[in-house]
Amino acid sequence: MKHRCLSCQTLGADCQHDYHAECAIKLFGTEFPPTVQFSTPDIIREAQKMVGKISVSGVQPKLSVAYDRKIFQLIVVEKGGEYILKPQTERFPMLPENENLCMRIASLCGTDVPAHGLIPLADKRFAYLVKRFDRTDEGFKFQQEDFQQLLEIDDKYDGSYERMANIIRKHSCNPASDLFKLYERAILFFVLGNGDAHLKNFSLIRSRSAGYRLSPAYDIVSSRLVLSEEREEMCLSIQGKRNRLSRKDFIRLAQHLGLAEEQCNHISDRMKDFQPEIEGMIKDSFLSEQLKSRFLELFKERMKRMNI
Ligand SMILES: Nc1ncnc2c1ncn2[C@@H]1O[C@H](COP(=O)(O)OP(=O)(O)O)[C@@H](O)[C@H]1O
Ligand SMILES: [Mg+2]
Ligand SMILES: [Zn+2]
């Protein structure tokens, strides 16, 4: 029997391996995924020990892992990790399933995202696994600066899309393209209810040949889905607003970023074309039925507010 792939979430994965061969190759370089010998509580315990030792910080427990291709297992490493592994947490139900779905939708909409997927741990619960984009397979590490560092602000919530745009204008070696990407992300994050996209969830990354560019997108989660009491719709302001945002505010943002009207209309038209597919992805996701219907409701309401 074929079943749903733990990366792309569509049917047809080989039952034994949980992944389509091509999806496994994309994420792991092998036609099947590795096994994992540790469980959710093991990760939470290990993650506490790793605080300050691994180069990825953030609020949720997480581990830096590598794929030992001799034993086909994921192993925990302090240095040279190829992936970041984020387990289930008590506070946010089904966070790995939520993040995998949001990353799939982002990818469908043309946002640059690293390879990702769900992986069952020894306790059979899913964790979210994402390939690191800040290093090559040979271990070369690209310099990465998040926007809190770039703006030299103490509070990661004390920022705006306009201030991030100023940084892009100043440091990116392709500001026109990166400003457009920033705008696309603002719209995408709004319609997904990603209310926790703070300054640390945006970075510039330096490639080997060129200078700094906006990094691929990461940590995309529909926080609104699990935190209905969340105060703000967007935690970084758009034209001075974090709440009751509408299409008008996004149009003003686009003007501020110097984007042409056709570019903005193009994004809305594309979102409209993708709407049925996005709704299908939500229905086909690994979220519970209750979270799926809440997500659909939220997404439709946000699309309406954007006049899409
Ligand atoms: N795929 C990735 N490649 C490289 N660095 C990443 C990747 N994903 C996240 N990071 C870095 O790790 C930090 C923590 O990851 P994140 O997914 O934001 O976790 P949290 O949910 O705890 O905030 C990010 O702020 C970013 O600097
Ligand atoms: Mg984060
Ligand atoms: Zn697949």
Side-chain angles (χ1 to χ4, degrees):
M1 197 184 76
K2 297 286 183 189
H3 66 164
R4 234 166 255 298
C5 170
L6 297 187
S7 177
C8 73
Q9 308 186 158
T10 65
L11 284 172
D14 178 337
C15 178
Q16 218 187 327
H17 296 307
D18 298 328
Y19 274 69
H20 291 115
E22 65 271 30
C23 292
I25 287 174
K26 202 167 150 214
L27 182 55
F28 303 110
T30 47
E31 285 186 7
F32 48 87
T35 57
V36 181
Q37 302 291 316
F38 42 86
S39 64
T40 308
D42 293 335
I43 300 190
I44 296 169
R45 208 174 328 109
E46 278 299 310
Q48 277 160 356
K49 286 196 241 157
M50 290 288 182
V51 173
K53 287 189 190 163
I54 57 171
S55 57
V56 280
S57 51
V59 180
Q60 299 301 325
K62 63 181 69 59
L63 286 178
S64 182
V65 297
Y67 181 7
D68 186 334
R69 290 172 174 83
K70 287 198 236 50
I71 52 172
F72 302 114
Q73 278 180 25
L74 284 189
I75 51 164
V76 181
V77 290
E78 271 182 35
K79 291 210 161 62
E82 298 168 72
Y83 305 93
I84 299 169
L85 186 70
K86 297 166 84 174
Q88 301 283 346
T89 66
E90 299 230 323
R91 183 145 179 249
F92 310 106
M94 309 195 96
L95 192 64
E97 291 85 347
N98 185 333
E99 187 160 358
N100 198 61
L101 168 60
C102 291
M103 294 292 273
R104 297 276 359 127
I105 297 173
S107 173
L108 172 77
C109 297
T111 305
D112 180 17
V113 292
H116 56 272
L118 294 169
I119 190 124
L121 303 180
D123 56 343
K124 306 273 185 272
R125 299 178 77 192
F126 287 140
Y128 170 74
L129 187 76
V130 64
K131 179 115 169 139
R132 292 189 65 154
F133 53 70
D134 59 339
R135 48 187 60 172
T136 63
D137 289 343
E138 301 80 48
F140 180 86
K141 186 154 179 352
F142 301 116
Q143 212 169 335
Q144 193 186 341
E145 311 279 348
D146 69 52
F147 277 75
Q148 185 182 11
Q149 296 166 314
L150 290 160
L151 281 162
E152 298 180 45
I153 290 180
D154 290 337
D155 181 355
K156 65 187 178 187
Y157 292 108
D158 183 17
S160 65
Y161 279 81
E162 291 80 3
R163 288 185 75 182
M164 287 201 287
N166 289 340
I167 292 288
I168 289 176
R169 284 195 193 96
K170 194 164 156 201
H171 297 291
S172 166
C173 61
N174 192 342
S177 159
D178 285 348
L179 287 170
F180 184 66
K181 285 184 184 179
L182 182 72
Y183 184 67
E184 276 184 316
R185 286 183 202 180
I187 293 183
L188 178 73
F189 293 175
F190 177 71
V191 298
L192 292 178
N194 178 17
D196 200 38
H198 50 67
L199 292 172
K200 287 206 157 297
N201 285 336
F202 294 88
S203 295
L204 291 184
I205 189 159
R206 195 185 194 122
S207 71
R208 223 191 302 222
S209 49
Y212 278 102
R213 290 297 310 267
L214 190 65
S215 82
Y218 54 88
D219 207 7
I220 312 179
V221 172
S222 179
S223 54
R224 176 64 51 157
L225 193 62
V226 283
L227 290 178
S228 41
E229 78 282 11
E230 194 173 58
R231 280 209 349 263
E232 269 123 17
E233 289 169 354
M234 296 290 267
C235 70
L236 299 179
S237 66
I238 290 176
Q239 296 294 290
K241 288 171 71 176
R242 290 181 163 85
N243 257 317
R244 286 191 280 279
L245 287 149
S246 67
R247 187 181 179 105
K248 221 170 51 216
D249 304 302
F250 285 86
I251 291 174
R252 287 205 195 109
L253 173 68
Q255 286 163 347
H256 186 103
L257 303 187
L259 302 178
E261 206 177 320
E262 310 87 77
Q263 280 181 300
C264 309
N265 292 340
H266 173 69
I267 299 182
S268 310
D269 292 348
R270 216 178 40 184
M271 285 301 290
K272 189 164 188 60
D273 292 343
F274 283 138
Q275 181 160 5
E277 209 170 327
I278 295 174
E279 289 175 9
M281 276 181 164
I282 297 172
K283 288 180 195 147
D284 289 345
S285 72
F286 290 94
L287 288 173
S288 64
E289 292 307 316
Q290 194 196 13
L291 287 179
K292 282 181 196 176
S293 58
R294 287 232 294 266
F295 203 156
L296 282 169
E297 208 178 300
L298 163 88
F299 173 65
K300 286 179 190 167
E301 189 265 330
R302 294 283 172 100
M303 291 287 277
K304 216 188 234 163
R305 258 207 278 158
M306 290 295 291
N307 270 345
I308 298 182

